[in-house]
């Protein structure tokens, strides 16, 4: 029967017709089911992966917030009765039993923590919070706030797992205590200060002030606040000007006080207050009542005026003194140890300024503040001696020079011999000090030039005597007994030293003309492309070496510029000559270019190079490592380049050669590059 299902039967010699459609349909349905299942699997797998990725990002952000806020997480498992400490990545780093955890906290704090845990585990509360002290990893006791809540519940409806967030509040608590302490101190100073103090909001409205303000204006806190005082009315500045001000100071301000039925004269200072983000929070103001001083000086002024009117001779005498004070740039001054005020007079009886110690210090240069503070202390102690000193201020004189004042103070005593004040004269010595400073600078320059001249003359005399002695010495050998074969050697030495001496004298004369600015720079049209290679050939022709390659890179058919051709040629020849003397193998490469209004020349060699310790001295005169050099070539080239308005730079390394860059400003007239290099 089994074979009957799978083998075809032959009937009457004919094979029955076979049908494959059921098989094809079955296979197709099976394949479709597999594709659909695969698609659903991939779809849900991708969806789960995206969700996991989102959860991972959320966890990372959450733990990042915990890390930034110094929050530590732990969990408590009811079944195991263990506390699991987690790090900022959510991994368990430590496990504590109840007994081990109790060692972190004081007994009272741990009992509070345990009571809160019991209330959560018994379902009496859904959240709990406790503040306690604990030891950190460094066994240092710090303050923490712990927030706890259930996260997993058992079948009995009670929590089976708790999570706790422990946040370190030691620093914030310390800041709060510091702020509280500072506030207490501020309130104490604010209320007992001998000067008027007031606070204003961002809009300039008066919001708080101390008791001294009430005494000045003869009112209560409520009556003064009822006046709705604003900085715009007090300072006579607009609201926009007040918002933009950095500092406000008024020596004398008059304000009519109804309660006193008179004017109060006031010295006032206003400072803006900013927060940590440089946002304006309000204004702080201080003030001193100057009414009595104004009245006393007015009385003095009236007395002098009455005396002047009564006596013509006294009037002329006072006018002459005022004229002398004005012409001499002198002001009369007075300092009172009683109220610590400095008064400056314009003439004998005209008050120019009232300055408190604080105001004076704001006008002083930092270099003078310590000294003036010491003098103030001595005056406040009523030291019976004269004070003579100079002080530099932050102000400017009429000539825009830093204002320097010379002050002379002498003590003044009353009939009982008590020191009551200091009388002084104040003189502007800014121009005198500037003249002294310039004289000192010129003296230093003259001394420096004198030293340079002496060194130059000393070196020059040595450099000239050496070749001259050789010439004279070999010439004298002709008069002594010698062989004919030695005469060519004598002649060669005489020629060599004579040539060296001639070059040395020419360079000394040229350098002296450079120092005296006697070299005339002549700008004329010149084609650098036509002569640059010739300059290089003249520079290295006397020092050609068989193992050295001499290269001139010329990228231009024409480069016509306005420049001093003779001086540029001298500089190129001199630098190439130096390179050739110190290069025995490798190459010497010279090229030029036109860049941003400058003729730029670079000469590079693979010669001996210059030690790093000698680089700072290469432009000093008579400094040469070559037996054929005078040590004046580089100083002349650098000075000549700078007098043409250019730059001269050199870079070198011992054993690796030297590179020289020369940049000279010039005007381009015609330029044409070569097509093929």
């Amino acid at each position: 029967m089994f074979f009957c299902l799978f083998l075809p039967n032959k009937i009457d010699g004919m094979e029955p017709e076979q049908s494959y459609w059921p098989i094809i349909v079955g296979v197709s349905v099976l394949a479709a089911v597999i594709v659909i299942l695969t698609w659903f699997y991939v779809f849900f797998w991708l969806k789960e992966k995206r969700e996991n990725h989102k959860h991972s990002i959320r966890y990372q952000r959450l733990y990042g917030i915990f890390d930034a806020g110094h929050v530590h997480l732990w969990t408590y498992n009811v079944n195991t009765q263990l506390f699991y400490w987690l790090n900022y990545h959510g991994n368990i780093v430590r496990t504590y039993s109840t007994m081990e955890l109790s060692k972190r906290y004081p007994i009272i704090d741990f009992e509070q923590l345990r009571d809160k845990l019991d209330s959560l585990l018994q379902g009496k509360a859904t959240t709990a919070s406790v503040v306690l002290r604990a030891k950190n990893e460094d066994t240092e006791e710090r303050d923490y706030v712990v927030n706890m809540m259930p996260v997993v519940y058992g079948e009995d409806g009670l929590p089976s797992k708790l999570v706790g967030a422990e946040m370190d509040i030691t620093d914030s608590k310390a800041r709060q205590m510091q702020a509280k302490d500072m506030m207490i101190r501020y309130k104490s100073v604010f209320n007992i200060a001998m000067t008027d103090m007031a606070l204003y909001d961002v809009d300039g409205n008066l919001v708080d002030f101390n008791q001294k303000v009430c005494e000045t204006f003869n009112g209560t806190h409520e009556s003064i606040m009822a006046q709705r005082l604003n900085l715009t009315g007090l300072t006579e500045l607009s609201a926009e000007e007040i918002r933009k001000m950095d500092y406000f100071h008024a020596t004398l301000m008059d304000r009519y006080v109804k309660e006193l039925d008179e004017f109060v004269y006031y010295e006032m200072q206003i400072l803006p207050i900013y927060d940590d983000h440089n946002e304006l929070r309000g204004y702080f103001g201080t003030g001193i009542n100057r009414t009595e001083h104004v009245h006393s000086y007015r009385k003095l002024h009236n007395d002098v005026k009455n005396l002047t009117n009564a006596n013509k001779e006294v009037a002329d005498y006072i006018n002459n003194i005022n004229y002398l004070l004005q012409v001499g740039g002198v002001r009369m001054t007075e300092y009172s140890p009683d109220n610590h005020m400095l008064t400056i007079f314009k003439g004998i009886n005209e008050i120019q300024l009232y300055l408190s110690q604080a105001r004076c210090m704001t006008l002083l240069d930092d270099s003078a503040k310590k000294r003036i503070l010491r003098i103030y202390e001595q005056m406040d102690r009523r030291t019976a001696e004269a004070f003579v000193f100079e002080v530099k201020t932050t102000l400017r004189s009429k000539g825009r020079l830093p204002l320097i004042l010379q002050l002379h103070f002498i003590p003044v005593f009353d009939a009982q011999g008590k020191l009551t004040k200091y009388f002084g004269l104040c003189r502007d010595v800014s121009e005198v000090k500037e003249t002294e400073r310039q004289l000192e600078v010129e003296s230093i320059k003259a001394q420096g030039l004198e030293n340079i001249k002496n060194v130059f003359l000393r070196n020059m005399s040595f450099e000239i005597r050496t070749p001259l002695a050789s010439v004279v010495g070999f010439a004298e050998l002709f008069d002594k007994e010698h062989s004919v074969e030695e005469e060519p050697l004598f002649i060669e030495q005489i020629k060599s030293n004579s040539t060296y001496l001639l070059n040395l004298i020419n360079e000394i004369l040229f350098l002296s003309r450079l120092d005296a600015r006697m070299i005339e720079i002549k700008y004329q049209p010149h084609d650098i492309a036509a002569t640059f290679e010739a300059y290089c050939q003249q520079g290295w022709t006397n020092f050609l070496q068989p193992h050295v390659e001499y290269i001139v890179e010329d990228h231009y058919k024409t480069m016509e510029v306005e420049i001093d051709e003779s001086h540029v040629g001298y500089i190129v020849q001199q630098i190439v000559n130096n390179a050739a003397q110190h290069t025995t193998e490798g190459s010497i490469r010279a090229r030029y270019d036109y860049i941003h209004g400058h003729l730029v020349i670079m000469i590079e060699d693979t010669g001996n190079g210059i030690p790093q310790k000698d680089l700072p001295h290469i432009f000093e005169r008579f400094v040469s490592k070559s037996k054929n050099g005078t040590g004046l070539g580089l100083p002349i080239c650098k000075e000549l380049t700078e007098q043409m308005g250019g730059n001269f730079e050199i870079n070198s390394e011992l054993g690796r050669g030297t590179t020289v860059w020369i940049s000279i400003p010039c005007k381009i007239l015609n330029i044409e590059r070569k097509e093929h290099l």
Side-chain angles (χ1 to χ4, degrees):
M1 184 176 180
F2 176 80
F3 288 98
C4 290
L5 293 174
F6 295 94
L7 296 176
N9 296 324
K10 293 183 179 180
I11 303 175
D12 296 333
M14 297 179 62
E15 295 182 359
E17 184 179 356
Q18 297 183 1
S19 176
Y20 296 101
W21 284 105
I23 299 174
I24 295 173
V25 172
V27 172
S28 300
V29 171
L30 180 61
V33 171
I34 294 174
V35 170
I36 292 172
L37 291 175
T38 303
W39 184 84
F40 272 105
Y41 175 77
V42 172
F43 173 78
F44 286 109
W45 178 76
L46 291 175
K47 184 177 180 180
E48 183 181 3
K49 185 177 181 181
R50 285 195 297 270
E51 291 297 327
N52 291 336
H53 181 65
K54 292 180 180 179
H55 289 311
S56 176
I57 293 175
R58 293 193 188 101
Y59 285 134
Q60 289 177 2
R61 292 176 179 173
L62 179 61
Y63 287 121
I65 294 173
F66 288 155
D67 188 10
H70 302 288
V71 178
H72 296 277
L73 293 180
W74 51 263
T75 61
Y76 175 69
N77 193 308
V78 178
N79 297 327
T80 61
Q81 295 186 354
L82 293 176
F83 292 86
Y84 301 96
W85 232 254
L86 308 178
N87 60 14
Y88 291 124
H89 301 286
N91 301 321
I92 298 174
V93 293
R94 287 188 299 275
T95 302
Y96 292 104
S97 64
T98 306
M99 184 63 67
E100 292 172 338
L101 187 67
S102 65
K103 297 178 181 179
R104 291 188 73 238
Y105 308 102
I107 297 176
I108 297 177
D109 290 350
F110 181 73
E111 288 179 353
Q112 292 180 7
L113 177 64
R114 188 180 59 188
D115 293 342
K116 295 291 184 181
L117 280 173
D118 291 340
S119 64
L120 290 174
L121 295 176
Q122 295 172 11
K124 296 179 180 180
T126 56
T127 60
S129 179
V130 61
V131 178
L132 43 78
R133 294 184 66 83
K135 294 181 180 179
N136 61 6
E137 295 178 355
D138 299 327
T139 67
E140 176 189 2
E141 287 194 352
R142 299 181 69 84
D143 295 312
Y144 296 90
V145 57
V146 181
N147 296 305
M148 299 169 289
M149 62 180 296
V151 292
V152 179
Y153 290 86
E155 296 179 355
D156 55 0
L158 295 177
S160 61
K161 189 174 184 180
L162 302 176
V163 64
E166 186 176 272
M167 182 171 64
D168 189 343
I169 61 170
T170 307
D171 296 335
S172 61
K173 188 175 180 180
R175 286 194 295 268
Q176 291 176 1
M177 293 297 295
Q178 185 180 10
K180 185 177 180 181
D181 183 55
M182 288 182 63
M183 183 58 68
I184 294 174
R185 294 181 183 180
Y186 160 74
K187 282 293 184 182
S188 300
V189 174
F190 190 75
N191 290 322
I192 67 174
M194 299 302 294
T195 58
D196 299 0
M197 292 187 179
L199 289 175
Y200 306 83
D201 61 16
V202 177
D203 298 322
N205 299 315
L206 181 66
V207 294
D208 193 14
F209 48 88
N210 63 355
Q211 184 61 31
K212 194 67 177 177
V213 175
C214 299
E215 297 175 5
T216 298
F217 294 99
N218 193 28
T220 63
H221 191 279
E222 292 75 14
S223 64
I224 295 176
M225 287 295 295
Q227 298 181 30
R228 300 183 181 277
L229 299 177
N230 189 280
L231 285 177
T232 56
L234 292 174
T235 62
E236 298 182 356
L237 299 175
S238 65
E240 186 65 22
E241 290 174 329
I242 290 175
R243 275 193 166 273
K244 292 182 178 180
M245 76 175 180
D246 295 328
Y247 176 74
F248 174 82
H249 178 266
T251 302
L252 284 180
M253 297 176 62
D254 57 339
R255 178 174 176 81
Y256 179 76
V257 180
K258 185 177 180 181
E259 290 78 7
L260 298 173
D261 192 23
E262 65 178 13
F263 281 91
V264 172
Y265 295 92
Y266 212 57
E267 180 182 358
M268 188 176 187
Q269 300 183 44
I270 304 294
L271 283 171
I273 303 172
Y274 298 93
D275 59 13
D276 295 337
H277 304 288
N278 204 28
E279 293 290 334
L280 183 65
R281 298 296 302 273
Y283 303 89
F284 176 73
T286 60
I288 301 176
N289 190 352
R290 299 299 181 202
T291 307
E292 293 182 3
H293 299 89
V294 172
H295 290 335
S296 62
Y297 282 116
R298 281 185 175 177
K299 183 178 181 300
L300 176 63
H301 174 71
N302 292 330
D303 293 342
V304 173
K305 186 176 180 180
N306 294 332
L307 180 62
T308 302
N309 294 332
N311 193 328
K312 183 69 168 56
E313 294 181 359
V314 174
D316 293 339
Y317 178 72
I318 291 175
N319 290 334
N320 291 335
I321 292 178
N322 289 339
Y323 176 76
L324 291 174
L325 292 175
Q326 181 180 1
V327 172
V330 179
R331 294 286 187 272
M332 296 173 60
T333 59
E334 184 178 293
Y335 179 76
S336 173
D338 295 328
N339 53 31
H340 316 294
M341 287 297 299
L342 177 68
T343 307
I344 299 177
F345 298 88
K346 187 178 181 180
I348 291 182
N349 52 14
E350 183 180 353
I351 300 172
Q352 184 176 10
L353 288 174
Y354 289 114
L355 297 175
S356 63
Q357 286 190 4
R359 178 57 176 162
C360 287
M361 296 306 294
T362 61
L363 299 177
L364 295 179
D365 186 76
D366 292 339
S367 60
K369 289 183 177 180
K370 290 184 178 179
R371 184 184 179 193
I372 299 305
L373 276 176
R374 289 196 297 268
I375 294 175
Y376 268 135
E377 291 176 358
Q378 290 178 307
M379 287 182 171
D380 290 339
R381 292 198 302 266
R382 303 177 190 270
T383 304
E385 64 179 58
F387 296 95
V388 180
F389 56 92
E390 292 178 355
V391 58
K392 183 178 180 181
T393 71
T394 57
L395 304 176
R396 293 282 175 175
S397 64
K398 293 181 179 180
R400 304 305 301 164
L401 298 172
L403 180 61
I404 301 176
L405 300 176
Q406 186 181 72
L407 293 102
H408 297 252
F409 281 103
I410 59 172
V412 178
F413 302 90
D414 59 11
Q416 289 75 32
K418 179 183 177 182
L419 193 153
T420 58
K421 61 183 178 181
Y422 291 87
F423 175 79
L425 294 177
C426 175
R427 181 188 174 201
D428 180 1
V429 294
S430 305
E431 293 184 0
V432 175
K433 290 299 177 182
E434 178 63 19
T435 303
E436 291 178 356
R437 188 191 67 81
Q438 292 180 359
L439 287 174
E440 184 178 358
V441 171
E442 293 300 325
S443 176
I444 294 174
K445 286 184 179 179
Q447 185 64 38
L449 291 175
E450 182 68 21
N451 293 336
I452 292 174
K453 184 186 73 173
N454 293 335
V455 172
F456 178 78
L457 291 175
R458 184 171 62 252
N459 290 334
M460 185 178 65
S461 62
F462 172 78
E463 294 292 334
I464 291 176
R465 280 201 309 269
T466 302
L468 188 60
S470 297
V471 172
V472 174
F474 282 106
E476 289 177 349
L477 290 177
F478 280 98
D479 295 333
K480 296 181 180 180
E481 184 178 352
H482 64 278
S483 63
V484 179
E485 292 79 6
E486 292 178 335
E487 289 184 358
L489 176 62
F490 298 163
I491 295 173
E492 179 63 28
Q493 289 295 325
I494 292 173
K495 285 183 178 181
S496 174
N497 285 279
S498 298
T499 302
Y500 177 85
L501 185 60
L502 179 62
N503 291 336
L504 176 62
I505 293 173
N506 288 335
E507 289 183 345
I508 290 173
L509 293 175
F510 188 70
L511 189 58
S512 65
R513 292 175 63 199
L514 277 174
D515 291 338
R517 298 284 175 172
M518 295 176 62
I519 299 297
E520 183 180 0
I521 308 299
K522 299 179 180 179
Y523 293 97
Q524 295 178 349
H526 177 71
D527 186 3
I528 295 295
T531 58
F532 183 77
E533 186 172 356
Y535 297 152
C536 298
Q537 294 290 347
Q538 293 174 13
W540 61 47
T541 187
N542 294 327
F543 301 97
L544 296 176
Q545 297 289 336
H547 302 293
V548 178
E549 184 179 6
Y550 302 92
I551 305 169
V552 177
E553 295 184 3
D554 192 352
H555 300 165
Y556 296 89
K557 284 185 178 180
T558 303
M559 183 189 285
E560 188 175 2
V561 295
E562 282 190 356
I563 205 165
D564 191 323
E565 178 267 338
S566 62
H567 289 150
V568 172
Y570 174 86
I571 293 172
V572 173
Q573 291 177 31
Q574 184 65 51
I575 302 305
V576 171
N577 184 281
N578 287 348
Q581 291 185 58
H582 297 88
T583 305
T584 57
E585 60 181 2
S587 64
I588 299 176
R589 188 182 302 270
R591 63 175 180 268
Y592 66 97
D593 208 339
Y594 179 80
I595 302 174
H596 299 303
H598 288 73
L599 173 64
V600 179
I601 300 170
M602 189 184 81
I603 299 169
E604 182 181 13
D605 67 65
T606 60
N608 302 331
I610 304 172
Q612 290 295 319
K613 62 182 181 62
D614 294 336
L615 277 176
H617 308 289
I618 57 174
F619 295 116
E620 295 179 5
R621 300 173 184 187
F622 297 108
V623 176
S624 174
K625 299 298 182 180
S626 172
K627 62 182 180 180
N628 299 310
T630 62
L632 296 177
L634 282 178
I636 289 175
C637 291
K638 186 176 186 297
E639 181 66 26
L640 189 57
T641 302
E642 291 177 350
Q643 290 196 19
M644 288 191 289
N647 293 318
F648 189 101
E649 298 181 12
I650 186 168
N651 185 24
S652 182
E653 187 175 348
L654 186 63
R656 295 193 175 185
T658 304
T659 304
V660 178
W661 291 274
I662 304 163
S663 175
I664 302 173
C666 61
K667 180 181 179 182
I668 191 70
L669 301 176
N670 184 23
I671 188 168
E672 183 180 358
R673 283 184 173 272
K674 293 180 179 179
E675 296 180 0
H676 302 288
L677 301 179

